[in-house]
Amino acid sequence: MMRRPMPAPPMNGPRFNEFIQSPKVRVIDQDGENLGVMYTREAIEAAAEVGLDLVEISPNADPPVAKFLDIGKYKYEAQKKANQARKTQKTQEIKEIKMRPNIDDHDYETKMKAVHKFLGEGDKVKITLRFRGRELSHGQLGMALLKRVQDDTAEDAKIEAYPRMEGRQMLMVLSPK
């Protein structure tokens, strides 16, 4: 009983040697010189004579561009480059600062130091005002406090989400400029 032919495993990275599907490719040798358009079989044989693989560099070109490379070294370099890019990128976090509408001046200044530090590090800051009991009926106090925060951070931050009520909390989101 004959087995059905298995489909090729999914490729991760560029196609090389017998995995190149186009009949003709534009070939560039290991020194960067253009050898012209060749049949894929001939190009694979030429690369094997030099001891390298034929790697498809630009598959969307017409005809596709292939180069003589060592595929293992090429994949290793690409992986190193990706790891370096991932290491240097900064993910932006949302830091939360919680306050009350009748916060004292010193407490407010301490919270604002933290806000400036977070914004300086490139993080977003979510300011949360918690209302308790009868404070809820004095929403204007919360708005005045958030207006004060907005004025104090005007040179460092821009408002991403303007103040709004969510239940017993008033929220505002700042992002660094």
Side-chain angles (χ1 to χ4, degrees):
M1 181 157 197
M2 291 283 293
R3 291 175 119 188
R4 265 186 283 146
M6 296 288 288
M11 292 287 293
N12 55 343
R15 289 189 285 244
F16 62 96
N17 292 345
E18 62 273 356
F19 298 112
I20 297 175
Q21 296 170 344
S22 60
K24 289 185 176 182
V25 290
R26 182 172 305 279
V27 181
I28 299 171
D29 70 357
Q30 67 273 18
D31 301 323
E33 293 181 29
N34 189 349
L35 300 180
V37 178
M38 301 171 78
Y39 286 105
T40 306
R41 285 277 147 230
E42 293 174 10
I44 291 172
E45 290 168 7
E49 286 175 14
V50 184
L52 297 172
D53 301 303
L54 184 70
V55 181
E56 196 173 41
I57 300 298
S58 179
N60 297 330
D62 187 33
V65 179
K67 193 171 186 179
F68 293 173
L69 295 172
D70 180 7
I71 188 66
K73 186 175 181 182
Y74 182 77
K75 283 184 176 181
Y76 174 74
E77 295 293 333
Q79 185 181 14
K80 255 176 75 171
K81 200 179 294 183
N83 286 344
Q84 187 64 34
R86 190 171 32 247
K87 202 182 298 182
T88 57
Q89 84 180 20
K90 169 85 169 84
T91 56
Q92 194 174 46
E93 296 179 29
I94 296 183
K95 305 285 188 169
E96 186 174 16
I97 298 288
K98 294 184 180 180
M99 296 185 190
R100 296 281 312 283
N102 56 353
I103 190 169
D104 196 40
D105 286 338
H106 183 266
D107 295 337
Y108 174 79
E109 289 166 11
T110 305
K111 299 276 187 180
M112 289 311 294
K113 279 184 189 173
V115 168
H116 286 294
K117 185 181 96 176
F118 294 150
L119 289 171
E121 292 171 357
D123 295 324
K124 292 181 182 181
V125 179
K126 178 180 172 183
I127 312 262
T128 305
L129 272 182
R130 280 240 173 97
F131 292 95
R132 278 207 222 141
R134 290 195 185 139
E135 292 173 347
L136 200 55
S137 60
H138 298 288
Q140 72 277 10
L141 293 174
M143 284 304 279
L145 181 63
L146 289 180
K147 178 71 175 141
R148 183 176 165 196
V149 169
Q150 181 180 342
D151 293 340
D152 289 347
T153 60
E155 65 272 355
D156 302 1
K158 60 181 183 278
I159 297 178
E160 190 167 291
Y162 285 91
R164 68 181 189 280
M165 286 296 292
E166 282 188 8
R168 291 186 159 272
Q169 296 182 349
M170 190 176 280
L171 305 172
M172 179 171 78
V173 179
L174 303 170
S175 63
K177 280 190 175 174

mmCIF file of all heavy atoms in Angstrom, residues 3 25 27 37 59 71-72 90 96 98 101 104 115 118 130-131 133 154 164 166 168 176:
data_model
loop_
_atom_site.group_PDB
_atom_site.id
_atom_site.type_symbol
_atom_site.label_atom_id
_atom_site.label_comp_id
_atom_site.label_asym_id
_atom_site.label_seq_id
_atom_site.Cartn_x
_atom_site.Cartn_y
_atom_site.Cartn_z
ATOM 1 N N ARG A 3 1.981 5.121 0.496
ATOM 2 C CA ARG A 3 1.675 6.254 1.378
ATOM 3 C C ARG A 3 1.514 7.510 0.537
ATOM 4 O O ARG A 3 2.161 7.656 -0.503
ATOM 5 C CB ARG A 3 2.812 6.506 2.358
ATOM 6 C CG ARG A 3 2.966 5.458 3.383
ATOM 7 C CD ARG A 3 4.166 5.768 4.188
ATOM 8 N NE ARG A 3 3.808 5.979 5.577
ATOM 9 C CZ ARG A 3 4.639 6.419 6.483
ATOM 10 N NH1 ARG A 3 5.870 6.730 6.168
ATOM 11 N NH2 ARG A 3 4.255 6.564 7.723
ATOM 12 N N VAL A 25 16.619 31.879 -10.963
ATOM 13 C CA VAL A 25 16.946 32.847 -9.917
ATOM 14 C C VAL A 25 18.071 33.754 -10.407
ATOM 15 O O VAL A 25 18.890 33.355 -11.249
ATOM 16 C CB VAL A 25 17.378 32.168 -8.597
ATOM 17 C CG1 VAL A 25 16.223 31.480 -7.916
ATOM 18 C CG2 VAL A 25 18.525 31.214 -8.806
ATOM 19 N N VAL A 27 21.485 35.190 -9.458
ATOM 20 C CA VAL A 27 22.487 34.635 -8.550
ATOM 21 C C VAL A 27 23.555 35.686 -8.222
ATOM 22 O O VAL A 27 24.062 36.376 -9.108
ATOM 23 C CB VAL A 27 23.147 33.383 -9.156
ATOM 24 C CG1 VAL A 27 24.175 32.808 -8.203
ATOM 25 C CG2 VAL A 27 22.094 32.341 -9.472
ATOM 26 N N VAL A 37 21.063 35.699 -14.302
ATOM 27 C CA VAL A 37 19.924 34.805 -14.104
ATOM 28 C C VAL A 37 20.335 33.394 -14.534
ATOM 29 O O VAL A 37 20.868 33.197 -15.627
ATOM 30 C CB VAL A 37 18.695 35.284 -14.911
ATOM 31 C CG1 VAL A 37 17.525 34.324 -14.729
ATOM 32 C CG2 VAL A 37 18.303 36.681 -14.478
ATOM 33 N N PRO A 59 12.702 36.809 -2.153
ATOM 34 C CA PRO A 59 11.812 35.908 -2.884
ATOM 35 C C PRO A 59 10.748 36.625 -3.709
ATOM 36 O O PRO A 59 10.189 36.044 -4.638
ATOM 37 C CB PRO A 59 11.161 35.068 -1.780
ATOM 38 C CG PRO A 59 11.293 35.878 -0.552
ATOM 39 C CD PRO A 59 12.516 36.720 -0.714
ATOM 40 N N ILE A 71 24.190 28.470 5.124
ATOM 41 C CA ILE A 71 22.843 28.665 5.695
ATOM 42 C C ILE A 71 22.867 28.634 7.222
ATOM 43 O O ILE A 71 22.158 29.399 7.876
ATOM 44 C CB ILE A 71 21.833 27.633 5.130
ATOM 45 C CG1 ILE A 71 20.388 27.963 5.579
ATOM 46 C CG2 ILE A 71 22.181 26.228 5.537
ATOM 47 C CD1 ILE A 71 19.845 29.232 5.023
ATOM 48 N N GLY A 72 23.692 27.790 7.812
ATOM 49 C CA GLY A 72 23.758 27.733 9.279
ATOM 50 C C GLY A 72 24.265 29.039 9.856
ATOM 51 O O GLY A 72 23.706 29.570 10.825
ATOM 52 N N LYS A 90 12.345 48.811 24.525
ATOM 53 C CA LYS A 90 11.760 49.157 25.822
ATOM 54 C C LYS A 90 10.265 48.953 25.742
ATOM 55 O O LYS A 90 9.601 49.527 24.884
ATOM 56 C CB LYS A 90 12.089 50.630 26.150
ATOM 57 C CG LYS A 90 11.344 51.219 27.333
ATOM 58 C CD LYS A 90 12.054 50.900 28.638
ATOM 59 C CE LYS A 90 11.490 51.686 29.795
ATOM 60 N NZ LYS A 90 10.313 51.093 30.397
ATOM 61 N N GLU A 96 0.623 53.055 38.142
ATOM 62 C CA GLU A 96 -0.573 53.659 38.728
ATOM 63 C C GLU A 96 -0.213 54.424 39.993
ATOM 64 O O GLU A 96 0.534 53.936 40.835
ATOM 65 C CB GLU A 96 -1.610 52.581 39.051
ATOM 66 C CG GLU A 96 -2.925 53.156 39.514
ATOM 67 C CD GLU A 96 -4.008 52.107 39.692
ATOM 68 O OE1 GLU A 96 -3.680 50.908 39.755
ATOM 69 O OE2 GLU A 96 -5.178 52.496 39.773
ATOM 70 N N LYS A 98 -2.186 56.316 43.130
ATOM 71 C CA LYS A 98 -3.503 56.463 43.760
ATOM 72 C C LYS A 98 -3.487 57.638 44.718
ATOM 73 O O LYS A 98 -2.537 57.800 45.486
ATOM 74 C CB LYS A 98 -3.878 55.188 44.521
ATOM 75 C CG LYS A 98 -4.074 54.006 43.604
ATOM 76 C CD LYS A 98 -4.529 52.784 44.364
ATOM 77 C CE LYS A 98 -4.717 51.630 43.400
ATOM 78 N NZ LYS A 98 -5.143 50.410 44.054
ATOM 79 N N PRO A 101 -9.118 62.814 47.122
ATOM 80 C CA PRO A 101 -9.416 64.202 46.749
ATOM 81 C C PRO A 101 -8.895 65.229 47.761
ATOM 82 O O PRO A 101 -8.520 66.329 47.375
ATOM 83 C CB PRO A 101 -10.935 64.263 46.676
ATOM 84 C CG PRO A 101 -11.429 62.887 46.770
ATOM 85 C CD PRO A 101 -10.327 62.002 47.203
ATOM 86 N N ASP A 104 -3.014 65.892 51.262
ATOM 87 C CA ASP A 104 -2.233 66.980 51.848
ATOM 88 C C ASP A 104 -1.113 67.386 50.875
ATOM 89 O O ASP A 104 -0.737 66.621 49.992
ATOM 90 C CB ASP A 104 -1.633 66.503 53.180
ATOM 91 C CG ASP A 104 -1.146 67.663 54.030
ATOM 92 O OD1 ASP A 104 -1.836 68.690 54.063
ATOM 93 O OD2 ASP A 104 -0.063 67.519 54.633
ATOM 94 N N VAL A 115 5.467 60.420 39.892
ATOM 95 C CA VAL A 115 4.909 60.603 38.541
ATOM 96 C C VAL A 115 6.017 61.072 37.596
ATOM 97 O O VAL A 115 6.178 60.541 36.491
ATOM 98 C CB VAL A 115 3.728 61.605 38.559
ATOM 99 C CG1 VAL A 115 3.345 62.016 37.153
ATOM 100 C CG2 VAL A 115 2.535 61.009 39.276
ATOM 101 N N PHE A 118 8.417 58.183 36.798
ATOM 102 C CA PHE A 118 7.843 57.229 35.853
ATOM 103 C C PHE A 118 7.834 57.789 34.438
ATOM 104 O O PHE A 118 8.165 57.094 33.477
ATOM 105 C CB PHE A 118 6.418 56.832 36.261
ATOM 106 C CG PHE A 118 6.346 56.058 37.551
ATOM 107 C CD1 PHE A 118 5.229 56.156 38.376
ATOM 108 C CD2 PHE A 118 7.371 55.219 37.953
ATOM 109 C CE1 PHE A 118 5.151 55.447 39.557
ATOM 110 C CE2 PHE A 118 7.295 54.503 39.136
ATOM 111 C CZ PHE A 118 6.179 54.616 39.941
ATOM 112 N N ARG A 130 -9.560 58.104 44.457
ATOM 113 C CA ARG A 130 -10.595 57.301 45.118
ATOM 114 C C ARG A 130 -11.478 58.206 45.961
ATOM 115 O O ARG A 130 -10.988 59.001 46.765
ATOM 116 C CB ARG A 130 -9.928 56.279 46.037
ATOM 117 C CG ARG A 130 -9.429 55.081 45.308
ATOM 118 C CD ARG A 130 -10.125 53.844 45.852
ATOM 119 N NE ARG A 130 -9.789 52.684 45.053
ATOM 120 C CZ ARG A 130 -8.855 51.823 45.350
ATOM 121 N NH1 ARG A 130 -8.122 51.996 46.421
ATOM 122 N NH2 ARG A 130 -8.641 50.784 44.580
ATOM 123 N N PHE A 131 -12.754 58.076 45.790
ATOM 124 C CA PHE A 131 -13.727 58.836 46.590
ATOM 125 C C PHE A 131 -14.354 57.904 47.611
ATOM 126 O O PHE A 131 -14.701 56.760 47.299
ATOM 127 C CB PHE A 131 -14.824 59.404 45.686
ATOM 128 C CG PHE A 131 -14.349 60.472 44.757
ATOM 129 C CD1 PHE A 131 -13.966 60.168 43.460
ATOM 130 C CD2 PHE A 131 -14.280 61.795 45.170
ATOM 131 C CE1 PHE A 131 -13.531 61.146 42.597
ATOM 132 C CE2 PHE A 131 -13.842 62.785 44.315
ATOM 133 C CZ PHE A 131 -13.468 62.457 43.027
ATOM 134 N N GLY A 133 -17.407 57.734 50.740
ATOM 135 C CA GLY A 133 -18.548 58.353 51.427
ATOM 136 C C GLY A 133 -19.065 59.600 50.737
ATOM 137 O O GLY A 133 -19.374 59.594 49.547
ATOM 138 N N ALA A 154 2.828 69.426 32.793
ATOM 139 C CA ALA A 154 2.613 69.931 31.435
ATOM 140 C C ALA A 154 3.852 69.801 30.554
ATOM 141 O O ALA A 154 3.738 69.482 29.374
ATOM 142 C CB ALA A 154 2.141 71.383 31.482
ATOM 143 N N ARG A 164 -12.137 60.996 33.902
ATOM 144 C CA ARG A 164 -13.498 60.456 33.793
ATOM 145 C C ARG A 164 -13.817 59.650 35.045
ATOM 146 O O ARG A 164 -12.916 59.117 35.693
ATOM 147 C CB ARG A 164 -13.642 59.600 32.542
ATOM 148 C CG ARG A 164 -12.849 58.319 32.577
ATOM 149 C CD ARG A 164 -13.010 57.511 31.301
ATOM 150 N NE ARG A 164 -12.415 56.206 31.431
ATOM 151 C CZ ARG A 164 -11.121 55.947 31.321
ATOM 152 N NH1 ARG A 164 -10.277 56.918 31.108
ATOM 153 N NH2 ARG A 164 -10.685 54.713 31.449
ATOM 154 N N GLU A 166 -15.329 56.423 36.979
ATOM 155 C CA GLU A 166 -15.675 55.012 36.855
ATOM 156 C C GLU A 166 -16.078 54.543 38.235
ATOM 157 O O GLU A 166 -15.223 54.235 39.067
ATOM 158 C CB GLU A 166 -14.493 54.194 36.336
ATOM 159 C CG GLU A 166 -14.259 54.316 34.858
ATOM 160 C CD GLU A 166 -13.200 53.349 34.361
ATOM 161 O OE1 GLU A 166 -12.748 52.479 35.147
ATOM 162 O OE2 GLU A 166 -12.814 53.471 33.193
ATOM 163 N N ARG A 168 -16.658 54.759 41.856
ATOM 164 C CA ARG A 168 -16.203 55.666 42.918
ATOM 165 C C ARG A 168 -14.790 56.189 42.640
ATOM 166 O O ARG A 168 -14.155 56.728 43.541
ATOM 167 C CB ARG A 168 -16.210 54.936 44.271
ATOM 168 C CG ARG A 168 -17.598 54.622 44.753
ATOM 169 C CD ARG A 168 -17.543 54.047 46.147
ATOM 170 N NE ARG A 168 -18.829 54.197 46.806
ATOM 171 C CZ ARG A 168 -19.191 55.255 47.501
ATOM 172 N NH1 ARG A 168 -18.391 56.274 47.636
ATOM 173 N NH2 ARG A 168 -20.380 55.296 48.076
ATOM 174 N N PRO A 176 4.370 60.012 28.358
ATOM 175 C CA PRO A 176 5.505 60.916 28.180
ATOM 176 C C PRO A 176 5.478 61.577 26.804
ATOM 177 O O PRO A 176 5.000 60.981 25.839
ATOM 178 C CB PRO A 176 6.726 60.023 28.332
ATOM 179 C CG PRO A 176 6.229 58.643 28.175
ATOM 180 C CD PRO A 176 4.784 58.636 28.511
#
